[in-house]
Amino acid sequence: MCSLALFPPPPAPGDVSLYEFNNALVSGRLYETLPLAFQDQLADLPVLAIPKETLKAHSRLEHSTKPAFIHHQETLWKRCLNAWRDVGMCGLLNEIAGAEEEDLQWMKRGSRWALALCQWVSSLHGSLFPHLSLCSEDMIAEFSQAVDWAGCSIRAFAWHPHTSKFAVALLDDSIRVYNSSSATVPILKHRLQRSVAALAWKPLCASILAVACQSCVLVWHLDPTSLSTRPSSGCAQVLAHPGHSPVTSLAWAPSGEMLLSASPVDTAMLVWDVSTENCVPLQWFGGGGVTYLAWSPDGSRVLAATPSAVFRVWEAQMWTCERWPTIKGRCQTGCWSPDGSRLLFTVQGESVIYSLSFSEYSGELQGQVGGSKTASIVADLSETGFETLYGEERIGGEVHSMAWDPSGERLAAVIRGSPEAAESRTIVAVFRTRNSPVFELLPCGFLQGEPGAQPQLLAFHPCFKKGALLTVCWSTGRISHVPFFFVSAQFPGLSPRHSPVAALSSSASVREQPLFSEL
Amino acid sequence: MLLLSVVILIISIFNVEFYAVVPSIPCSRLALLGKIIHPRQVIHSAVHAIMGMLVAWCAAVMTKGKFQFLAVPCTASESLDGAVQHMCLNEYHLFLLLSGAFMGYSYSLLYLVNNMNYLPFPIIQQYKYLRFRRSLPALVKHSCVESLYLVRNVCVAYYFFGYIPRAWISATTDLHADSKLHPLDTLTGLLDLSLLYHTWLCGIFLLITWHIAWLLFKIYATEAHHFPVQPTFTEETDQCLPKILNSNPPLIIKFLALQDLMLLSQYSPVRRQEVFSLSQPGGHPHNWTAISKECLNLFRDLTQKLIMQQEAAATNGRVKQPSAGELGRSLISSEAAVSEEMSFQAQRSNVSRAHMPSLVKSSLLPLKTLSTSDLGSSFGSPFSSPALNRQAGILDLNSPWHGSVQSPHVMRRGPKLWTSSSDLQMNGSHQESFPVISVARVGNEAIQPSFIYTWLQNKQEQVRSFLSKRVLIMYFFSKHPEASIQAIFSDTQMHIWALEGLSRLVAASFTEDRFGVVQTTLPAILNTLLTLQEVVDKHFKLPHASSKPPRTSGSLMDTSYKTLRFALRASLKTAIYRITTTFGEHLNAVQVSAEHKKRLQQFLEFKE
């Protein structure tokens, strides 16, 4: 078991973690450059700073155009009809109960009774599942993977799974798409794009971005060759389902066919066939909703966390699930090993990382998730003091979010300091990992940003050739990339795509030459 | 109870008889009308009406009370002697029976209009019980609402026509209406809440039982079936996957086979290994050859169909707006691509394996049949635009039985640039496969029918212009553009599965194919996919092709067939990306035409 005491002390105050090289994390001042051999690797990645002040605040707080018009008294029936159309049954009852007409005493009384009954039932429901009484903004902030969703300028971040392109959702509900190979930065805005909680790029596709919004899921179809900086809202597909809002998590199938969306309010998670906008709800009562989804990279299993102390692992062929009750609290985050055989997850209220291993996936296990009987603790992250030259630092606490790099060699976790102790701070801890033949978790080091900056979001670059590249979004609005240079032990050539194309000339004249070398 | 189970049984038989995996979409209102009065549908409706009446009778007997019997003692007590009590007609009972019949008939109509005989395959695999449980709430809700509407319609119908059956019953059975009670075809009679409530309940009962039968049939019919790839015993040879794909089984079997192909390519390494295996003895990759050949044939057929449709649409566009020339020119390039691909294959067939010539032939075959029969049927509506029919005529002439390169007449008759290019291409490919052609005979034949044809054409146009001025006729004959597009893509679920299955197999072959059987077909696969991609792209650029699926309401009725083309576009792109991301730079060594190479490069750079 790995514990924080084994970690090297955090970098000196004022220093910024720059890169990992020769098995050591190097930190220094910002202007220090990378070793010459690796400079060209990062040259084209945009390093951004999006401070909060530059973002325009919400221009309209009201959701409708109502205040712009003069109030006009309509007849009760007309108002009822409108309320029914706009808000539904509750609105209708409210309208009748608040009516000024005198002659409808019995109706008013009846609707008041009905309203009271509704409120009582919903409060009962809310006492069972406390999260249901939150307003939707608070709910997103509670369940989002971002550390400070409500206050920080960056709310969500996603790397494109195949290219050097990423999308950032900002506090002002806009999304910017940065591409390393072009200077155009499309800014996506949509009427329904509010309170973005998660972003996900469609795999095996050039430029389709799914956005989890307050009321729906938006799917942006961006033209990668287009030079326009403001794609029209006609490029966005709206996927909405009654009772399925706010959406807090999204997951694409690694084969790109389906999209999963989850809402803490809806007990069903939805499987979307995005191109036809059809959806299949996967209902499973208990837990009161689904807060976080993670699809294993091999596409065989899905982690679905709920707001109560239970999470489920779905098997993605016949869609059956295994239920995992936890002891302390709800499952906060989780991540899969690249081969989908191991799940690391953390639980709210405990400062440890659990590991859950699954049997090797081969299509023959029809409808079985195949999880092991118990989860084991692989890392203890309870608070530890570090004696540095500049005084003692206390680090440790619950894990808020985790990311595992695509080669399975590095694991990054955002550790939240305990709220009672003032000096404990939020920090990124990086582990070295190995999945086969035995699972191993070894300390690597802490990452530190500029003075005063706290980590907000983590993501690994999906196809970095020289090791792993961690992108950290800081609370100051800065997005920095920290490369880890190493030679992967499991896949010496990394993925087959990057294997050197030896003597294969692209000339078509040579007919009978093998297409590719035997691997 | 026995009666009820008989009813359910008959309904199920009708479900089984009428199912279809490909929905039939009426392109105009006349076609819809024609479907309604088709004898098959009439029998369907009649039987459902009788079944509805039976169910209503059962319901009436079960409710007891005042609905139970057709004849009840009269309430009128003018006959003072209690011995002989008059029997009167119980109109409530009659109303219930008639409403049952009406509901049965409406169900049958809705079955037709909503394409309820279409079997939609689910997007995810689930166990039968879970699928049933998932759809049950929607089913109950839908039945309740539907029943409400039906009760309303029954009331309206009874209000206007209720006296006819009542008079008839009275006449035949010598029962008279009770004079004290209100007759039911008046407003006050119909406003009987208990009657309406019971009718509603009866409707719910009827719809729920029938819908459940329908749902269960759907679930069982679309369940994934496991076809063996390699026969373990010789008598199983007919049931194995490559055999079924290559023969012409009922469509449902073909659909299930393709679905199984998709599933095995995704989930089962063991069965993939069987696909890539060589035959013993002989060492031929029969399994892979059969599967890939069938998939490629499917794609080629679709490509041809789309090209035909685009040509028709391009002509339409030309009539309306003169700027459609660009479209025509782009069509040339697609034609050129097709012909290039064909010549490429013909060239390959000389050097490569034995299955190649058959590929060329099979890709020509649909061309011939399409140009004559398919065009005739799909442009069958005689009041569509004149240019469209002329187009069909020209293609008719160009088909191998009439035209040849040597007939300059045909060349001149083709008034548009792209027609002549397709002409060239057809004849060119024609020559490749049938090099011996009797020049003189064909030349003669080509001139003869064209005279008669022009005359007929003129007449036809006159008649058409006369008729098209009549509004009512236009109402019936006008084609709905959305419907005709849906009709083209109605069987696209097959292509989607074939795309997924084939691309996953090719991607898996990168690591799992030990004998290199996939390599030999890779150029053909890439060519076919890229050509199809071009054509599909072009299709979505047509003026009346919407680029987004219409909003679907979450109801019980499945309307997924309306949006299949969007699914096809998405899965086609995903399929190409799956192959390009797996093979990466190695694709540069695959022989494809320069244009496709450029396209592939774009896919490699994620710029499509």
Side-chain angles (χ1 to χ4, degrees):
Chain A
M1 195 171 75
C2 182
S3 86
L4 280 187
L6 304 171
F7 267 70
D15 278 5
V16 177
S17 303
L18 293 177
Y19 56 89
E20 185 207 296
F21 186 56
N22 279 341
N23 253 351
L25 272 176
V26 179
S27 59
R29 301 288 158 180
L30 256 186
Y31 50 80
E32 284 178 29
T33 50
L34 291 168
L36 210 58
F38 297 121
Q39 251 172 17
D40 57 325
Q41 295 290 329
L42 288 178
D44 47 359
L45 286 178
V47 177
L48 304 168
I50 309 168
K52 202 170 169 182
E53 292 74 41
T54 60
L55 298 176
K56 218 163 58 175
H58 292 280
S59 50
R60 49 201 167 129
L61 294 168
E62 290 284 338
H63 286 188
S64 66
T65 48
K66 222 177 198 171
F69 295 92
I70 300 168
H71 184 66
H72 169 67
Q73 192 70 35
E74 287 167 324
T75 61
L76 179 65
W77 295 117
K78 218 168 184 178
R79 272 184 288 145
C80 285
L81 209 65
N82 282 337
W84 167 262
R85 214 170 38 215
D86 292 346
V87 204
M89 195 66 203
C90 251
L92 179 70
L93 290 177
N94 259 326
E95 195 65 51
I96 295 176
E100 284 125 20
E101 278 86 348
E102 290 303 312
D103 48 345
L104 293 164
Q105 281 308 321
W106 59 274
M107 264 182 86
K108 280 167 78 172
R109 200 166 300 140
S111 59
R112 265 189 215 128
W113 274 103
L115 266 182
L117 193 72
C118 276
Q119 273 157 12
W120 183 73
V121 167
S122 70
S123 71
L124 194 72
H125 197 196
S127 67
L128 278 178
F129 298 112
H131 70 274
L132 291 179
S133 52
L134 295 173
C135 85
S136 65
E137 292 254 343
D138 293 343
M139 203 184 295
I140 297 174
E142 170 81 17
F143 297 119
S144 161
Q145 289 294 298
V147 174
D148 178 19
W149 183 83
C152 177
S153 61
I154 298 173
R155 292 191 147 174
F157 178 93
W159 273 107
H160 188 275
H162 306 286
T163 54
S164 276
K165 177 156 76 175
F166 60 81
V168 185
L170 302 175
L171 189 62
D172 62 349
D173 292 337
S174 69
I175 293 174
R176 298 189 194 172
V177 179
Y178 293 90
N179 195 340
S180 68
S181 56
S182 94
T184 339
V185 180
I187 299 174
L188 313 179
K189 283 184 182 172
H190 194 279
R191 188 171 51 87
L192 294 170
Q193 188 171 294
R194 284 222 194 81
S195 315
V196 177
L199 297 171
W201 290 94
K202 180 177 176 179
L204 295 178
C205 192
S207 230
I208 292 184
L209 178 69
V211 182
C213 308
Q214 196 174 38
S215 59
C216 61
V217 178
L218 281 178
V219 180
W220 285 93
H221 295 252
L222 306 170
D223 184 2
T225 52
S226 156
L227 293 173
S228 120
T229 50
R230 279 296 301 273
S232 79
S233 54
C235 302
Q237 251 179 306
V238 181
L239 306 178
H241 193 262
H244 195 76
S245 67
V247 183
T248 55
S249 189
L250 291 173
W252 283 96
S255 56
E257 262 112 31
M258 287 173 273
L259 174 70
L260 276 179
S261 71
S263 163
V265 176
D266 195 357
T267 50
M269 58 181 194
L270 301 184
V271 184
W272 290 95
D273 182 5
V274 172
S275 54
T276 60
E277 299 190 2
N278 284 326
C279 78
V280 177
L282 287 175
Q283 196 85 37
W284 204 268
F285 298 100
V290 181
T291 56
Y292 176 73
L293 294 169
W295 206 311
S296 71
D298 69 335
S300 58
R301 295 184 190 87
V302 182
L303 163 76
T306 67
S308 41
V310 63
F311 69 94
R312 286 187 285 273
V313 179
W314 291 83
E315 159 274 325
Q317 188 181 354
M318 298 301 288
W319 292 100
T320 51
C321 69
E322 255 179 20
R323 197 170 155 276
W324 285 88
T326 58
I327 301 165
K328 263 279 182 65
R330 66 182 170 86
C331 172
Q332 166 64 32
T333 181
C335 55
W336 291 90
S337 68
D339 60 351
S341 65
R342 186 171 294 275
L343 169 71
L344 298 184
F345 66 93
T346 63
V347 168
Q348 220 180 30
E350 285 183 272
S351 45
V352 291
I353 298 178
Y354 286 101
S355 153
L356 194 56
S357 67
F358 291 87
S359 57
E360 193 59 42
Y361 186 75
S362 65
E364 276 31 274
L365 47 94
Q366 290 264 328
Q368 283 169 19
V369 185
S372 58
K373 290 279 166 281
T374 52
S376 55
I377 296 177
V378 288
D380 176 18
L381 306 176
S382 50
E383 203 170 70
T384 316
F386 287 93
E387 289 293 339
T388 59
L389 294 174
Y390 314 94
E392 197 196 12
E393 282 205 61
R394 301 200 67 77
I395 288 173
E398 292 171 25
V399 175
H400 193 82
S401 69
M402 282 196 293
W404 206 335
D405 100 288
S407 65
E409 301 264 331
R410 292 290 181 277
L411 175 78
V414 176
I415 301 176
R416 249 197 347 193
S418 57
E420 298 92 52
E423 66 269 26
S424 78
R425 55 178 182 155
T426 309
I427 200 165
V428 179
V430 180
F431 300 87
R432 294 195 184 90
T433 54
R434 193 168 63 179
N435 203 21
S436 68
V438 202
F439 180 72
E440 266 184 355
L441 200 64
L442 300 169
C444 180
F446 296 112
L447 296 187
Q448 182 171 281
E450 290 166 310
Q454 298 210 327
Q456 167 87 350
L457 282 165
L458 290 178
F460 274 102
H461 191 292
C463 44
F464 186 66
K465 297 183 181 75
K466 293 283 167 59
L469 178 72
L470 179 68
T471 303
V472 187
C473 305
W474 301 96
S475 58
T476 50
R478 193 178 165 76
I479 298 175
S480 66
H481 309 284
V482 184
F484 298 83
F485 297 109
F486 59 87
V487 177
S488 174
Q490 276 163 297
F491 318 99
L494 266 180
S495 77
R497 188 161 16 129
H498 308 123
S499 65
V501 184
L504 290 181
S505 65
S506 58
S507 68
S509 57
V510 193
R511 274 280 158 89
E512 301 305 326
Q513 133 185 339
L515 273 182
F516 45 83
S517 50
E518 283 286 326
L519 286 175
Chain B
M1 271 305 111
L2 190 71
L3 199 64
L4 274 183
S5 35
V6 169
V7 169
I8 299 292
L9 198 71
I10 293 175
I11 297 293
S12 313
I13 290 172
F14 267 85
N15 273 334
V16 175
E17 279 298 312
F18 274 75
Y19 81 91
V21 279
V22 178
S24 67
I25 297 157
C27 289
S28 60
R29 292 176 181 86
L30 187 74
L32 184 65
L33 209 65
K35 266 172 78 178
I36 292 177
I37 55 171
H38 191 274
R40 241 168 91 89
Q41 181 58 33
V42 169
I43 293 174
H44 188 263
S45 304
V47 172
H48 273 82
I50 294 169
M51 293 299 124
M53 203 184 262
L54 277 179
V55 171
W57 185 75
C58 292
V61 171
M62 278 190 288
T63 43
K64 303 257 167 47
K66 62 179 178 181
F67 301 104
Q68 197 171 3
F69 300 111
L70 187 61
V72 285
C74 291
T75 44
S77 49
E78 68 261 22
S79 54
L80 291 168
D81 48 334
V84 192
Q85 208 172 21
H86 284 279
M87 295 302 275
C88 282
L89 176 68
N90 184 359
E91 209 176 348
Y92 294 108
H93 185 82
L94 182 67
F95 182 81
L96 215 57
L97 287 191
L98 287 177
S99 69
F102 183 84
M103 283 170 181
Y105 183 72
S106 311
Y107 174 85
S108 161
L109 269 190
L110 286 176
Y111 187 86
L112 174 82
V113 173
N114 288 340
N115 264 318
M116 274 165 74
N117 59 346
Y118 166 62
L119 291 179
F121 284 83
I123 55 174
I124 56 171
Q125 302 298 312
Q126 261 185 311
Y127 285 111
K128 291 192 283 284
Y129 165 66
L130 290 175
R131 274 185 71 189
F132 179 70
R133 200 186 63 177
R134 175 159 61 76
S135 348
L136 207 54
L139 186 145
V140 172
K141 190 179 156 213
H142 177 86
S143 301
C144 292
V145 175
E146 191 69 38
S147 174
L148 210 59
Y149 283 114
L150 285 180
V151 167
R152 184 197 64 187
N153 295 350
V154 164
C155 289
V156 172
Y158 197 84
Y159 180 72
F160 286 112
F161 305 111
Y163 65 93
I164 302 173
R166 199 179 48 200
W168 183 69
I169 294 273
S170 308
T172 47
T173 58
D174 208 21
L175 289 171
H176 293 285
D178 206 323
S179 49
K180 282 282 178 67
L181 291 171
H182 283 292
L184 274 182
D185 55 351
T186 55
L187 270 182
T188 43
L190 274 179
L191 276 177
D192 184 345
L193 273 184
S194 141
L195 174 72
L196 293 185
Y197 174 68
H198 278 99
T199 320
W200 183 58
L201 279 188
C202 170
I204 290 178
F205 175 67
L206 181 144
L207 287 178
I208 285 187
T209 45
W210 292 9
H211 276 147
I212 283 181
W214 167 74
L215 180 71
L216 284 176
F217 170 70
K218 247 184 15 177
I219 289 176
Y220 271 86
T222 55
E223 196 195 2
H225 186 268
H226 193 288
F227 294 91
V229 178
Q230 197 100 41
T232 24
F233 303 105
T234 42
E235 57 263 30
E236 278 179 7
T237 322
D238 288 343
Q239 294 162 18
C240 68
L241 192 61
K243 201 87 179 178
I244 286 178
L245 282 180
N246 269 318
S247 58
N248 253 335
L251 265 180
I252 177 84
I253 309 263
K254 190 146 192 174
F255 269 66
L256 286 174
L258 281 167
Q259 190 189 26
D260 188 46
L261 174 71
M262 186 268 286
L263 292 176
L264 89 89
S265 68
Q266 189 171 3
Y267 296 116
S268 175
V270 183
R271 295 174 70 203
R272 279 202 297 263
Q273 208 45 251
E274 285 178 23
V275 173
F276 297 138
S277 67
L278 298 180
S279 68
Q280 201 66 254
H284 294 288
H286 287 306
N287 290 337
W288 166 250
T289 315
I291 289 174
S292 64
K293 197 176 85 183
E294 181 52 33
C295 292
L296 291 185
N297 279 345
L298 278 176
F299 303 149
R300 289 209 183 97
D301 290 356
L302 183 67
T303 312
Q304 292 300 338
K305 211 158 77 174
L306 285 178
I307 288 179
M308 292 293 170
Q309 190 255 352
Q310 278 166 18
E311 280 173 0
T315 346
N316 261 339
R318 185 180 294 261
V319 172
K320 279 179 217 136
Q321 36 178 296
S323 67
E326 201 184 345
L327 232 142
R329 228 179 302 124
S330 60
L331 265 173
I332 298 178
S333 68
S334 93
E335 290 291 339
V338 172
S339 68
E340 200 173 49
E341 181 211 335
M342 284 180 171
S343 63
F344 172 70
Q345 277 167 12
Q347 181 197 355
R348 288 264 315 183
S349 68
N350 298 329
V351 286
S352 73
R353 291 175 182 253
H355 68 266
M356 278 304 184
S358 71
L359 279 183
V360 175
K361 252 178 247 155
S362 56
S363 67
L364 273 172
L365 204 68
L367 209 71
K368 276 185 257 164
T369 50
L370 265 176
S371 58
T372 51
S373 64
D374 236 31
L375 266 182
S377 65
S378 64
F379 307 142
S381 162
F383 301 100
S384 50
S385 99
L388 201 134
N389 268 21
R390 211 180 319 128
Q391 168 65 18
I394 288 162
L395 281 170
D396 239 353
L397 275 181
N398 289 342
S399 69
W401 295 285
H402 289 294
S404 76
V405 203
Q406 285 80 9
S407 158
H409 185 83
V410 178
M411 291 295 289
R412 240 179 294 122
R413 267 194 50 80
K416 289 160 198 94
L417 201 54
W418 42 268
T419 322
S420 59
S421 103
S422 78
D423 185 2
L424 263 176
Q425 177 251 322
M426 278 181 182
N427 288 311
S429 49
H430 192 205
Q431 270 194 330
E432 277 167 20
S433 51
F434 309 96
V436 276
I437 232 170
S438 68
V439 181
R441 190 179 57 100
V442 175
N444 263 340
E445 272 181 7
I447 300 168
Q448 266 284 323
S450 69
F451 280 134
I452 305 166
Y453 178 74
T454 4
W455 184 78
L456 273 178
Q457 186 87 44
N458 285 341
K459 277 286 156 207
Q460 209 178 355
E461 258 171 53
Q462 282 169 11
V463 173
R464 190 184 306 123
S465 59
F466 172 74
L467 283 181
S468 60
K469 292 189 185 100
R470 305 300 180 274
V471 179
L472 184 70
I473 292 174
M474 277 318 284
Y475 174 80
F476 278 118
F477 282 100
S478 64
K479 277 184 147 187
H480 194 251
E482 174 75 16
S484 49
I485 293 174
Q486 280 171 19
I488 293 173
F489 287 97
S490 59
D491 61 345
T492 297
Q493 184 68 58
M494 281 202 295
H495 303 102
I496 294 169
W497 283 331
L499 276 171
E500 285 189 18
L502 195 68
S503 66
R504 279 179 204 275
L505 281 177
V506 170
S509 79
F510 191 78
T511 50
E512 293 179 12
D513 178 13
R514 283 173 298 160
F515 306 109
V517 295
V518 177
Q519 284 182 36
T520 52
T521 31
L522 194 54
I525 292 173
L526 283 175
N527 271 319
T528 317
L529 289 187
L530 289 174
T531 315
L532 183 60
Q533 160 79 12
E534 266 169 38
V535 176
V536 168
D537 266 0
K538 222 154 275 163
H539 171 83
F540 279 96
K541 282 179 191 148
L542 287 183
H544 47 250
S546 61
S547 59
K548 266 201 227 169
R551 299 292 307 147
T552 48
S553 53
S555 73
L556 184 67
M557 298 308 153
D558 200 285
T559 50
S560 60
Y561 61 88
K562 288 182 181 163
T563 48
L564 274 178
R565 58 183 187 280
F566 303 103
L568 174 80
R569 179 174 61 170
S571 59
L572 179 59
K573 263 204 179 144
T574 310
I576 299 178
Y577 268 118
R578 188 171 292 136
I579 295 177
T580 54
T581 44
T582 321
F583 282 83
E585 296 296 317
H586 300 298
L587 281 183
N588 288 332
V590 180
Q591 296 149 17
V592 287
S593 64
E595 197 177 333
H596 283 168
K597 190 153 261 174
K598 216 183 286 168
R599 199 84 194 220
L600 270 184
Q601 197 55 42
Q602 281 190 328
F603 271 102
L604 283 173
E605 288 165 4
F606 286 90
K607 292 231 168 113
E608 258 312 307

